[in-house]
Amino acid sequence: MTVIDADFSLATLKQDMSDLFFKKKLFNFGLPALLLAYLTYVFIAFDMPGLWDRANLANARTLVSDTYSYKTHVSRDNRDASVSIAIEGERKGAYPEGDSPQWVSLGEVTVIDLEEGHQVRFGPETVEYDIPGYGVVRATPTRSRGVQAELPAGEIPSWISLSKNRLAIKTEAGRLTVTRNRSEVFRYFTGWELFFFTLDSPYHGLGLGELLEKAASGEAGAILQDIWTNKMWRHQDVAWAIAETLLMAFLGTIGAGLVALPLAFLAARNFNPLGPLRFVMRRVFDFVRGVDSLIWTVVLARAFGPGPLTGALAILVTDTGTFGKIFSEALENVDEKQIEGVTATGAKPAQRYRFGVIPQITPVLLSQLLYFLESNTRSATIIGAITGGGIGLLLTQAIITQKDWEEVAYYIGLIIFMVMLMDWLSGWLRRRLIKGEAGRKSRAESKPGKAFLLP
C-alpha cells in the first residue's frame, strides 16, 4: 500500500466517523426537538390556556358533591300556594300531603329552617330568605310584572342572581330559586337517601337494630322485597342490567373464539398449503378487527334492532378477527414432532388435530379468551348504551336526563366492581386452567412411575 492510499483510507475513515457522530448527534438532539415542537403545536392547537380559562370550578365542585349527597326540594306553586316536598324532586320520593321533615313547618306560612340562622319563609304572596350577616331578601312573584325583589342596601353579592323573571340565591346552607310560577328551596344532605326503603315503605326510618328484630320475627322476606323493588334506585332493574352486560361480554367473547378457531387453521401456513386462501382469510381477519366494535354496534343495531344480543354480536364480529390472527400465529408455532408422534400411532386426521395440535395451543386459547372476556366486560358497558341494554343504558339515561349524580356514581361504582370481579375471576381461572395444568405436567414428568395416580 502506498502512502497516498494510506492517507486516502485514513481520510475516508475519519469522514465516515464524522458522519456517524453527526447522525448520532442529529438523532439524540433532533428527536427530542421534534417531540418538543409537536407538543408545542398540540398546546397551541388545542388551546390549552383557553381550556383552563373556560373551566368552571364551581360547577365541578357541585358535580362532585352531588355524587355523595342528595337534596330535598321544598317547592311552592305560586299560582295556588300549594307546597310539596320531595327528595331529588322526584314523585317517587315525594312526602305524603301534610307530611314533612322536621326542618320544614307547614302552615299558612311555611317555615324552612336551613340551620345556622338561615331561614326561608313561604308566605301567601311573598317569599323571604333571612341570611345571617346580610339581611332579609324578599321576593314577590307576579304574573304581569315578573319577580319583584327587595334586597338589603348595597351591591348585590355574586351568590345572588337577579333578573326580571328570576331570583336565585346560593349559600352554604342551601339554594332558593323564585320564578313567576314556582318557588323552590334545595337543601343538601350527605348520603344516598331512600337507597334501601322509599318513603311509602313501612320500614323507612327504622334503625338497623329495629330491622333485625323485624327480620327475626318473620318479616325478612318483606324487608328484602322492599329493597329489591325500590322505585327510586331500581335495584331489580340494575341487577338485570348487570346480568345483560355480563351476558353480552360472555356470548361475544366465547362465540368469537368458537368461530375463529376453525378459521385460524385456514390462515395458518403449516395447515393450509393454499396461499390465496390464506391471504383471503388473513385479510378477512384484518377487516373485521380493523373496524371498531362501536362502529359494528351501530351497523348491527340498524340491521337487527337494539338489544343485548346485538351488542354480543358486535363483540363477536370484532373479536373474531383478533382471535383469528392470534390463533393462526399460535398454530404456526406448534411443535411438529408431537403431531408426528400422534400420527405414528395410527391416528386419523381429526385425532391428530385433537391430540397433537389443540393441547399445544390450549394455554394460548384460554389466556386470550379470559383476557378478552375481562376487557369486553368494560366494552359491553359502552356497547349497551348504544344497543339499548345493560348497565351502560342506565348510566347513559342518568347522565342525559341530568338526574342527580349520586345515581350516576352508583352505576359507575357497580361497573368498577363488576370489572374488578371479572379481573379476579379471570386470574383465578387462568391459574387453575393454565398454571395448574403446567404444574401437574411437571409433577408427572418428575415422577413418571406414578403419573397414572394424578387426576
Side-chain angles (χ1 to χ4, degrees):
M1 180 182 295
T2 63
V3 176
I4 298 177
D5 292 337
D7 292 341
F8 179 78
S9 300
L10 184 60
T12 304
L13 181 60
K14 289 182 178 180
Q15 183 64 36
D16 291 341
M17 293 298 295
S18 177
D19 293 342
L20 179 61
F21 281 120
F22 176 76
K23 291 179 181 179
K24 288 287 186 180
K25 291 180 181 179
L26 185 62
F27 180 81
N28 292 336
F29 294 99
L31 186 60
L34 183 63
L35 179 61
L36 181 61
Y38 175 74
L39 293 177
T40 304
Y41 166 76
V42 170
F43 185 81
I44 298 174
F46 287 90
D47 191 18
M48 300 301 292
L51 180 65
W52 177 255
D53 293 338
R54 294 190 298 270
N56 192 324
L57 298 182
N59 286 345
R61 286 192 295 267
T62 301
L63 177 63
V64 172
S65 66
D66 274 349
T67 62
Y68 60 83
S69 64
Y70 70 94
K71 60 179 178 289
T72 301
H73 298 230
V74 183
S75 305
R76 176 185 184 273
D77 192 329
N78 295 332
R79 294 166 294 187
D80 56 14
S82 61
V83 176
S84 60
I85 306 171
I87 295 174
E88 299 297 359
E90 295 190 26
R91 293 181 180 179
K92 294 175 288 187
Y95 280 81
E97 187 175 354
D99 193 11
S100 65
Q102 295 180 350
W103 47 278
V104 178
S105 300
L106 299 176
E108 183 178 357
V109 176
T110 298
V111 180
I112 305 167
D113 184 8
L114 300 180
E115 296 185 349
E116 298 181 358
H118 292 261
Q119 189 179 86
V120 178
R121 294 178 290 273
F122 288 162
E125 296 182 355
T126 302
V127 177
E128 297 181 348
Y129 188 176
D130 192 351
I131 305 173
Y134 179 69
V136 178
V137 177
R138 295 181 178 85
T140 304
T142 62
R143 299 289 295 174
S144 58
R145 294 177 296 171
V147 178
Q148 303 296 311
E150 301 177 21
L151 279 69
E155 185 179 354
I156 299 177
S158 59
W159 40 269
I160 295 180
S161 175
L162 178 62
S163 64
K164 178 181 178 181
N165 297 317
R166 186 175 182 271
L167 168 67
I169 303 175
K170 183 178 180 180
T171 66
E172 65 278 4
R175 287 191 289 173
L176 169 66
T177 304
V178 182
T179 62
R180 293 185 179 187
N181 299 324
R182 189 181 185 87
S183 301
E184 191 167 28
V185 172
F186 303 153
R187 184 178 178 184
Y188 281 87
F189 296 89
T190 302
W192 291 352
E193 182 67 354
L194 309 183
F195 185 79
F196 296 107
F197 305 106
T198 51
L199 291 171
D200 57 353
S201 170
Y203 307 107
H204 176 261
L206 298 182
L208 180 60
E210 295 173 299
L211 288 174
L212 292 177
E213 289 180 5
K214 290 184 176 294
S217 64
E219 299 185 35
I223 293 174
L224 293 176
Q225 180 67 16
D226 269 19
I227 296 175
W228 185 247
T229 58
N230 187 303
K231 292 175 292 189
M232 284 195 66
W233 289 91
R234 303 165 59 189
H235 300 304
Q236 184 177 7
D237 296 336
V238 170
W240 176 247
I242 290 178
E244 281 188 342
T245 301
L246 294 175
L247 182 65
M248 280 192 287
F250 180 81
L251 291 180
T253 306
I254 302 303
L258 293 175
V259 173
L261 182 57
L263 296 179
F265 282 93
L266 299 178
R269 183 176 293 103
N270 51 341
F271 289 96
N272 182 13
L274 300 177
L277 182 57
R278 292 200 309 270
F279 178 81
V280 171
M281 288 308 306
R282 289 182 178 274
R283 299 297 76 76
V284 170
F285 292 155
D286 292 340
F287 171 72
V288 293
R289 80 170 185 272
V291 179
D292 191 82
S293 58
L294 291 180
I295 299 177
W296 282 119
T297 301
V298 175
V299 173
L300 294 173
R302 293 291 299 271
F304 299 103
L309 289 180
T310 303
L313 187 59
I315 294 175
L316 186 151
V317 172
T318 305
D319 285 358
T320 295
T322 305
F323 285 153
K325 175 180 174 56
I326 295 173
F327 294 172
S328 63
E329 292 176 352
L331 288 170
E332 290 179 348
N333 293 319
V334 296
D335 186 0
E336 297 291 341
K337 293 182 179 180
Q338 293 191 30
I339 303 175
E340 293 173 359
V342 174
T343 304
T345 63
K348 297 179 180 180
Q351 293 174 323
R352 290 199 295 268
Y353 288 120
R354 166 64 181 85
F355 297 102
V357 178
I358 299 300
Q360 295 190 60
I361 65 172
T362 295
V364 176
L365 301 183
L366 292 177
S367 178
Q368 294 299 325
L369 283 174
L370 292 174
Y371 171 75
F372 275 85
L373 178 60
E374 172 195 338
S375 177
N376 287 333
T377 302
R378 298 187 296 269
S379 301
T381 302
I382 307 302
I383 291 175
I386 301 176
T387 61
I391 192 68
L393 176 63
L394 296 182
L395 177 62
T396 305
Q397 288 176 343
I399 295 175
I400 292 178
T401 55
Q402 297 182 353
K403 300 185 72 173
D404 287 279
W405 283 76
E406 66 268 23
E407 190 168 340
V408 176
Y410 174 47
Y411 296 149
I412 293 176
L414 287 175
I415 292 171
I416 294 174
F417 175 76
M418 179 178 63
V419 172
M420 292 173 61
L421 181 63
M422 291 301 299
D423 176 54
W424 171 83
L425 180 61
S426 174
W428 181 79
L429 289 174
R430 190 179 291 109
R431 289 191 300 270
R432 293 284 295 178
L433 298 176
I434 300 175
K435 293 184 179 180
E437 291 179 357
R440 289 195 295 270
K441 183 178 178 181
S442 62
R443 291 196 300 270
E445 292 175 350
S446 63
K447 298 180 180 180
K450 298 181 180 181
F452 63 91
L453 296 177
L454 296 174

